[in-house]
Amino acid sequence: MTRGILIAGNNSPLLTALTEEAARRVEHFVTAFIPDQADKILTVSSAEMLNWNPGSPIAARALLLGAENRLGQVNEAILVCTPPCLCREHFDSGKVESLVNDHIKGWLLLGKELTATFRARKAGTLAMVLSKPPEDLLAPVACAAFQAFTQGLLTVATSEPFQTIGFSPPDSGDDVSFAAFIFKIIDEGNKKNNGRWQRYGKFFPSKLF
């Protein structure tokens, strides 16, 4: 059976590299992008883009249902936290709302739907991919929330009937190699990787930033 791959995140070189890696493995997969970024990111013909409003629990469910309608089922979900600079000059309420809805709440809601689906199916791989935040006031907050959420999922992973893997960013900033590494770990399907952070070239250190 063809692998059903869902990749979600916002515009970034890493997400582009991941879509290119997915295209080497399957003829068709689905992507979901944080709003206002999608027109800049879809670069491979085998990817079908789905609408996603990250701050809505209904949208999270609709996204997963839409992905399964197109793929048959989602076998692998790759969530990529690469927040842009969210506060360049002014710290205003609009940027705070964007941070919470798009880069914190969205991951919690989508993660909830995916874990429930994989748990019911008793199979699946959830890959949580973290990046180094830009030098910004709000972006590190989003990365810290994503890291904490991932750590919580990894803590309970061994008691779940599906696999959860965390990926931390490499020091080199080589997105192409990092994307290939992520898919290599997923492709292996090694149960020893379940519930663990993986870092390109070595295991996740005790302190990330």
Side-chain angles (χ1 to χ4, degrees), residues 21-209:
E21 282 294 326
R24 295 186 180 97
R25 289 162 169 79
V26 294
E27 294 182 357
H28 183 69
F29 62 97
V30 296
T31 56
F33 302 112
I34 291 173
D36 299 326
Q37 302 291 340
D39 59 333
K40 303 175 184 178
I41 188 68
L42 195 58
T43 59
V44 293
S45 60
S46 52
E48 181 174 357
M49 184 176 62
L50 300 181
N51 293 326
W52 179 34
N53 175 12
S56 166
I58 296 175
R61 181 59 179 162
L63 170 60
L64 185 51
L65 289 174
E68 293 198 320
N69 285 339
R70 289 160 176 78
L71 298 172
Q73 66 179 23
V74 175
N75 305 107
E76 300 163 11
I78 304 174
L79 310 190
V80 189
C81 178
T82 53
C85 289
L86 300 172
C87 182
R88 297 181 185 275
E89 298 178 357
H90 302 289
F91 185 77
D92 59 45
S93 58
K95 288 184 172 65
V96 172
E97 185 175 4
S98 173
L99 169 78
V100 173
N101 286 333
D102 293 347
H103 301 284
I104 296 178
K105 184 178 179 181
W107 295 128
L108 297 175
L109 294 173
L110 185 55
K112 173 182 176 294
E113 292 295 337
L114 287 165
T115 54
T117 297
F118 290 160
R119 186 179 299 119
R121 190 182 300 148
K122 300 185 186 304
T125 297
L126 177 59
M128 305 289 288
V129 182
L130 184 63
S131 68
K132 288 187 176 179
E135 294 183 1
D136 183 49
L137 181 60
L138 296 181
V141 177
C143 284
F146 187 88
Q147 180 187 357
F149 180 44
T150 300
Q151 185 58 54
L153 293 173
L154 296 176
T155 299
V156 300
T158 56
S159 64
E160 296 282 11
F162 59 91
Q163 190 171 62
T164 302
I165 309 171
F167 293 90
S168 66
D171 293 329
S172 64
D174 185 348
D175 294 310
V176 173
S177 296
F178 186 33
F181 171 73
I182 290 168
F183 266 101
K184 176 180 180 293
I185 295 295
I186 294 173
D187 292 346
E188 288 175 353
N190 191 333
K191 293 182 178 179
K192 291 182 179 180
N193 294 326
N194 187 35
R196 302 179 69 173
W197 285 101
Q198 301 291 324
R199 186 173 186 176
Y200 184 53
K202 57 184 175 181
F203 290 116
F204 184 75
S206 58
K207 185 177 181 180
L208 180 58
F209 304 123

